[in-house]
Every structure is written in C-alpha cells, then in structure tokens.
Amino acid sequence: MNGPHSSSVNPADITRPNWPVLILAFVAVVLDGYDTIALGLSVPALSDDWGVDPAHFTPALSLTSLGVALGYIAVGRLTARFGCRNVVLAAVVVFTLGSLLTAWAGGIIELTVLRFVTGFGLGAVMPAAVAQATALNPARFRQQIAVFVTTGISLGALIAGVLGAALIRWFDWPSVFIVGAIASAALLPMLWIWLPDERAVTGAQHAPDTAKRDASVARLFDPQVRRRTILLWAFSFLIFCVYYIFSSWLPTLLTSYGFSTGLAPLGSAALGVGSIIGAGVLMVAALRFRMTSVLATTSVVAIAFLVLSTFLGADKAMLLIVFGGVGLGLQAGMIGQAAVAVTLYPQRTAATGVGWTSSMGRLGSVVGPIVGGALIGMGLATSTIVLFACIPVAVAAVIVVALGRSARRRPAKVAGGRPASVGVS
C-alpha cells in the first residue's frame, strides 16, 4: 500500500497506521504553514528594499488569504474528480513555483498576483492531505490523524518564524521564498513515489456524477448533518477571529503593559509557542476524550488565561506565559475544527467538509484583525479589549458543547442508511 498503484483493499481491513502516508501528508502541510506566513515575515525587508510603506503590501497579504480561502472551497470538487493524491501533488507544484517566482518579484502588482496564485495552492493542500491520510489509515484514528496532519500548519509557521529572521538577516528577503521552494521541490518526488492514490487502494472509484454530488457543499447541509455543519462553521469562525486579533495586534497591545517596541514581538513568539503546545495537548487528549469535550475545555482555558492577563499589570514574564496559554487554548480549537469536520461527514465528503470549515475559519482570520484594529482605534484600554475577546470564545465554547450533544442525539447517515463514522461525540 506504499505506491500509487497498490492493489485495492477494504477500508475496514486497514488496521495499522500507514506511516509513509502520514509523514508525507504532514510534511506537505508543514511546508504549507511555512509558505503561508513567508510574506508577512518579509514585509519589513521588502519595504526597505523597494522603498515603499509597509501598508502598500496589504493587497498582497489580503489576496494571499483570499487565494487560500478559494483553495479550501475548491478542494472538495478537485479531490472528487482527480483524487486526493493528485490534488496534493498539483497544489505542492503550484506553491513551489509561486514561492520561487515570488523571490524575483519586482513590484507590488506582480507580488500580489503571485501570492494570490500561491495562496490557492496553499489552501488546497491541507484538506486534501487530511482526507488522504484519513482514507488510508484505520477509521478509529481519524480524529487523531486529522489533528496530527493539521498540526503541520503550526509547525511550519514556527519554523518560518525562527528560520525566516536569520535568512533575511544573512541573505535578504528572497532567501525565505527560495528555501521554501527548494524544500517543496525536494518533497515532490517523494510524494510521487510513496503517496498512493486512495481511490485505487480502497477501490472507492465512483462515477463522475456520484463523485461530483458527494463533493458538493450541499452534502454538508443534508438533513442529518445540517445543524452540525452550521454549529461547526460558527465555532471555526469565532475561534479563528479571536486568535487573529491577538496574532495581529498583540505586540501593539503589549506596549501598554510597558513592553518596548523591541520586546513587544516576544508576545507573538509566546502565542506561537503556546499554539504548538496546544496542538500536542489536543493530540493526546483526543486519544481519550470526545473531541467536542476537548475543544470546549480548551476554549475555557483560553478564557481563563485572557481574564488572568488583565490582573498581571507590568509583570512581563508572566504576561508572556499567560499569552502562551491563550495561544494554547485558541490553537487547539483551530486545529480541532478540522478533526471534527473529517469525522462529521462520510469519507467521500471529508475533503469538502474540512475545506469549507477551514474557509469559515479563514473568514474569521480576515475579520479578527479588523475588529482588533477598530477596538484599538476607539482608544479602549488593553484590559477592556482582552475581556471583550472573551465573549466570542465563550460563545464558541457553548456552540461546541451543543455540537457534541447534537451528534449524540442523532448519528449521521450515509448512503444506504448506515451510520457514518462520527467522532465528535
């Protein structure tokens, strides 16, 4: 089962983890996470190099997010037509070329177009990789596999943050994109050789009309799962929205606690470290507890740390630890929503479910910084802004509890009236 042309097996007979598939899917998502934040890291150096104000890069940053969102939305139909393996391969090719060409961009318009195209590839990789990995591994581990693969986004971002600063300092901003492109290019032959076509492995070949219907967003609103889809989308939007308020504005907020402009970026680093820890906590907790219960708990943890931060005053070390805790609670929710999505729907609809749920999160990532900027612009105290952020997180916690109860009351059905493998309860 380690090659593109493996003989078919019954999915129920897959009892052992397929490590080559898991590792390849994870690495592809790590590179996705690296490239996703590469431009944000490079903006200060680009601004100096091109002699333009950093605000001029807003279209490139925004259209990267738009491209990612469109990739999320399109991935269901793409995987239905071409298979997860081929979508992963094509998406990695797209963001490899996009990243490489970005290193030689000569102006804002050219940069913006390249990042939009690159973003589409970045958006297509994660849902396809999650669907591929869960299709070729034991069904009982679908939640844990989805968490493991999706964690690659956080690890990739952390690698970019640590490595990117050194690359820019030693070799200037193009090196960030060149290194990412080289790493992606090195992965491609491994994907080609060792990533099998899940349709051939499981024998799950479907007529084009059937595949198209299974991949339609309308399937996410079938009567059996409609309510849960709405709840999951709302949870994803709110958690992403709050996380991106802090990932965008935390250094600014920390200056009111006495952090210098040189030390304030440590807040973002603390948030990132907490995010990685949160991903690890989620993977361990998912082995023993219901995913919705875990996500409700991590949401409460985020609220507790947010409230605690308002009582710490100018204790810089404790503030960084506390905002690391905020990152832990929120990032667990951002990763966990994909794990819920992949178990909420039948396997043939999994990529569509993960893609659309993630696109709702991406919408939250656009709204969050706008809300944060508006609150700062109103002149509100940092403690007030932090307490305000507790409200959507509390709503998200209530939503995910309702999602878990909904799943327990009425299991989803798949074709033929059989219960789907729903891991949210």
Side-chain angles (χ1 to χ4, degrees):
M1 195 164 69
N2 294 333
H5 308 293
S6 303
S7 58
S8 65
V9 297
N10 188 327
D13 293 334
I14 301 175
T15 58
R16 295 182 179 181
N18 188 324
W19 289 108
V21 169
L22 284 174
I23 292 170
L24 288 171
F26 178 75
V27 173
V29 174
V30 169
L31 295 175
D32 181 345
Y34 175 98
D35 203 285
T36 297
I37 71 164
L39 180 58
L41 294 171
S42 304
V43 163
L46 270 165
S47 177
D48 290 341
D49 193 13
W50 291 358
V52 298
D53 190 89
H56 285 81
F57 294 94
T58 300
L61 292 166
S62 298
L63 284 180
T64 300
S65 293
L66 177 60
V68 171
L70 292 177
Y72 284 151
I73 291 171
V75 73
R77 290 190 178 275
L78 291 173
T79 55
R81 181 170 182 179
F82 302 107
C84 293
R85 173 183 185 268
N86 293 328
V87 171
V88 171
L89 280 166
V92 172
V93 168
V94 168
F95 73 69
T96 297
L97 292 175
S99 187
L100 188 62
L101 292 173
T102 298
W104 280 273
I108 297 291
I109 295 177
E110 183 181 356
L111 178 69
T112 301
V113 171
L114 286 170
R115 295 313 294 174
F116 173 74
V117 174
T118 304
F120 186 88
L122 295 171
V125 165
M126 190 273 285
V130 169
Q132 169 84 341
T134 54
L136 298 178
N137 279 279
R140 67 182 184 278
F141 295 137
R142 289 180 77 186
Q143 286 188 31
Q144 291 79 14
I145 290 167
V147 170
F148 173 70
V149 174
T150 309
T151 301
I153 292 281
S154 301
L155 180 59
L158 181 61
I159 291 172
V162 173
L163 183 61
L167 288 172
I168 291 171
R169 184 169 64 252
W170 295 334
F171 305 109
D172 209 358
W173 65 267
S175 63
V176 176
F177 299 97
I178 292 172
V179 167
I182 291 172
S184 301
L187 178 65
L188 279 170
M190 301 179 198
L191 293 173
W192 180 266
I193 295 169
W194 289 302
L195 193 67
D197 187 329
E198 76 288 349
R199 300 169 299 174
V201 171
T202 62
Q205 299 281 359
H206 303 285
D209 289 344
T210 301
K212 184 177 180 180
R213 184 169 60 254
D214 287 336
S216 171
V217 67
R219 290 303 306 273
L220 308 183
F221 291 90
D222 285 348
Q224 299 88 348
V225 293
R226 181 187 302 129
R227 183 169 183 267
R228 279 174 267 167
T229 293
I230 294 171
L231 290 172
L232 181 57
W233 284 12
F235 174 81
S236 182
F237 174 85
L238 291 170
I239 289 295
F240 272 75
C241 185
V242 176
Y243 181 86
Y244 277 89
I245 287 176
F246 289 104
S247 68
S248 300
W249 295 109
L250 185 55
T252 301
L253 294 173
L254 287 178
T255 58
S256 69
Y257 285 111
F259 281 71
S260 67
T261 55
L263 288 177
L266 290 176
S268 295
L271 202 67
V273 171
S275 297
I276 296 295
I277 297 173
V281 168
L282 190 64
M283 278 192 287
V284 173
L287 292 170
R288 299 190 59 184
F289 303 103
R290 297 172 180 139
M291 181 58 72
T292 48
S293 299
V294 175
L295 296 183
T297 302
T298 56
S299 298
V300 172
V301 167
I303 293 171
F305 277 113
L306 285 169
V307 173
L308 180 59
S309 72
T310 64
F311 294 99
L312 292 179
D315 190 332
K316 296 181 178 60
M318 283 302 299
L319 276 169
L320 292 177
I321 293 172
V322 164
F323 278 106
V326 172
L328 184 157
L330 295 177
Q331 185 68 30
M334 293 167 65
I335 294 173
Q337 53 85 25
V340 173
V342 83
T343 55
L344 185 61
Y345 309 106
Q347 182 63 50
R348 296 194 299 271
T349 313
T352 301
V354 173
W356 275 89
T357 302
S358 298
S359 72
M360 293 301 108
R362 180 59 63 171
L363 178 60
S365 75
V366 173
V367 173
I370 295 172
V371 172
L375 293 173
I376 291 172
M378 291 168 61
L380 297 178
T382 295
S383 59
T384 302
I385 294 173
V386 169
L387 291 174
F388 175 86
C390 291
I391 298 173
V393 182
V395 174
V398 172
I399 286 172
V400 80
V401 169
L403 177 60
R405 291 181 176 176
S406 174
R408 288 196 293 275
R409 283 198 302 269
R410 188 171 64 178
K413 302 283 185 180
V414 296
R418 294 177 290 105
S421 173
V422 179
V424 296
S425 59

